[in-house]
Amino acid sequence: MEGSVLKEALNISDLLGEHGAQFQISTKYNDHGEEFFMEDDYGSADEDEDAHRKIMNPWDRSFDELRAQMFMVSEFVYKRITKQGVGDELVPDRARVTIDYNAYFEGETYAFDSTSMRGEYKTFTIGKSEVLQGLEEAVQSMKPSEEAQFVIGYQVLFGELGCKPRIKPKADALFIVKLVSFTDPGDADALDNLTQEEKTSYAVVKDKVADTRTHAKDYFKRNMVANAINDYHKAVNYLEGCHVKNEEEQKEQTETLIALYTSLAVCYNKKDNPRRTCSMINEIRRLGNIDRMSRALFHEGRALMNLGEYERAKTSLLKAQRLEATNKDIVKELKILNERWEKHRQEERSICARAFGLKERKDERQTEEQVKFTNTMKKNLEEFVADEKSKQFTLPEGLTTKEMDIVQDLADEFDVKLNLYKESSKDFYRLEKKKAGGEGEQ
């Protein structure tokens, strides 16, 4: 009997019924012109093939034939460029480089080492033997964003013996490399290696300080802020300990010190240490006119804000904004400051209200009654302040928290003091004019 294709699930009762059921599995699943594949998205075959190609050896002939198409970088390193780099600068000594690469042995199909397979770039420092000598030589011949192929001799890779069973003896290799980026991290020991006589010479020290600053900046970029702080302080100590010969050197030394102290202020803000930031800013004030230095003013404002000194913080940030009116970071910081300051004031009022025993209202919307109350209180205060004979103004009982907030704002505006008193076990509030010394009557 001709069967039919099963397209719907069977009921278990049909299987167990009186007549039972018969099944036939056919390999001709496409006889009816339909394909019964799962609809789930498991990725395309093309995507898998692309990923596979990344780690397959693109060269299927001998390395000698490939060398014939290359130029010599060094005795054991041959190269051909597949994509030109940017600029003219080659990777310098001591540079920290980041590369993407795949590496293949001769005659083998798949990569024996690959950043593509690991899913992350390789970063290392030139001259510190962190990678194979041949790979380091190859990378030093490259420019930023350059892509190139290198055939590297075993002499500067794994040597004559190799590393069995994975690496054969005398194993040359093809490296396909992309230079992602490089930076000069500077010399960490530049200042430490000076002689006692060199330490006193500004001409010698300034060059070593420049190297140390570069090293500190590299630490900062890698979020190693504590290390950056140590380098910057070292540079400051050496620079302040040397002798200048003339006004030109004095001016240059001062400018460098200001730059170093500014960097330290940035670092201490990053480490959430606002007091140390302010100490660095004070050193800048000692050296020059900080009102012309927007970056220093900005970080002073940030530090003062974190110390809760909102008024001083705003002064510094506004000075910075006057110097750089379009600076978005300053605008953003001022917005943060205003939000924190307002929140702080609200918290202070709430604490004051609780201390005075007032009940807080949930509805904080400005009502018509509150506007009327504000206008009335303002008129009363104007008359109170204008009356030289009047020293005190007692508030009516039963004021809400919102109304007390209004009174406090008006008291600040008219420079009078709001005080709480007790009389016959009852609390009442009184506005009082300040004494000549600035203190209110108690």
Side-chain angles (χ1 to χ4, degrees), residues 235-379:
V236 165
N237 292 337
Y238 274 84
L239 198 60
E240 290 191 330
C242 63
H243 305 302
V244 295
K245 294 180 179 179
N246 49 49
E247 284 187 17
E248 185 179 346
E249 285 190 351
Q250 176 74 63
K251 181 182 177 183
E252 192 177 57
Q253 180 196 44
T254 299
E255 289 174 351
T256 305
L257 283 169
I258 288 172
L260 288 167
Y261 280 121
T262 303
S263 295
L264 280 165
V266 174
C267 287
Y268 280 121
N269 263 339
K270 180 92 170 171
K271 292 289 285 182
D272 196 21
N273 192 339
R275 294 193 184 280
R276 289 292 288 159
T277 300
C278 289
S279 295
M280 298 304 103
I281 297 297
N282 287 337
E283 293 296 335
I284 296 173
R285 278 197 171 86
R286 173 177 63 85
L287 293 164
N289 184 2
I290 195 174
D291 289 344
R292 297 177 182 174
M293 307 173 196
S294 62
R295 191 163 176 242
L297 288 166
F298 173 83
H299 283 281
E300 180 180 47
R302 174 173 286 179
L304 290 170
M305 177 175 63
N306 289 333
L307 288 170
E309 298 188 33
Y310 300 114
E311 193 166 348
R312 290 180 60 200
K314 190 168 187 176
T315 299
S316 296
L317 289 172
L318 287 174
K319 285 181 180 179
Q321 191 178 43
R322 280 195 288 271
L323 294 172
E324 292 187 53
T326 59
N327 189 306
K328 293 181 180 178
D329 289 333
I330 299 174
V331 173
K332 183 179 177 182
E333 202 73 9
L334 278 165
K335 183 180 178 182
I336 293 170
L337 170 64
N338 290 331
E339 289 172 353
R340 285 197 194 176
W341 199 353
E342 180 57 31
K343 184 179 178 182
H344 174 73
R345 290 179 66 186
Q346 288 176 358
E347 287 172 352
E348 279 191 332
R349 289 170 185 164
S350 179
I351 292 169
C352 181
R354 287 197 296 272
F356 288 168
L358 294 172
K359 293 182 180 179
E360 295 189 40
R361 292 177 56 181
K362 291 183 180 179
D363 186 3
E364 294 296 329
R365 291 174 297 177
Q366 188 76 20
T367 65
E368 190 176 337
E369 289 182 2
Q370 288 165 355
V371 172
K372 187 177 178 181
F373 176 81
T374 302
N375 294 334
T376 302
M377 279 301 305
K378 190 168 186 178
K379 185 177 179 181

Side-chain angles (χ1 to χ4, degrees), residues 416-417 419 432-442:
V416 296
K417 199 166 183 68
N419 287 319
E432 299 174 343
K433 292 179 180 176
K434 294 180 181 179
K435 292 182 178 180
E439 295 295 326
E441 293 182 17
Q442 299 297 325

Side-chain angles (χ1 to χ4, degrees), residues 9 24 35 60 88 101 123 130 134 142 162 179 211 213 260 334-335 341 369 391:
Q24 179 180 348
E35 296 181 355
D60 58 4
D88 298 321
Y101 72 91
T123 298
E130 294 174 356
M142 301 181 75
L179 179 58
D211 222 1
R213 281 180 71 188
L260 288 167
L334 278 165
K335 183 180 178 182
W341 199 353
E369 289 182 2
K391 302 296 182 185

Side-chain angles (χ1 to χ4, degrees), residues 388-422:
E388 295 182 2
K389 295 180 180 180
S390 181
K391 302 296 182 185
Q392 300 173 344
F393 179 81
T394 303
L395 298 176
E397 294 181 13
L399 296 182
T400 65
T401 302
K402 183 63 180 176
E403 288 168 341
M404 286 302 300
D405 286 345
I406 294 169
V407 172
Q408 184 63 66
D409 287 340
L410 290 170
D412 293 341
E413 182 181 338
F414 285 90
D415 198 26
V416 296
K417 199 166 183 68
L418 175 64
N419 287 319
L420 169 66
Y421 291 93
K422 281 187 178 289

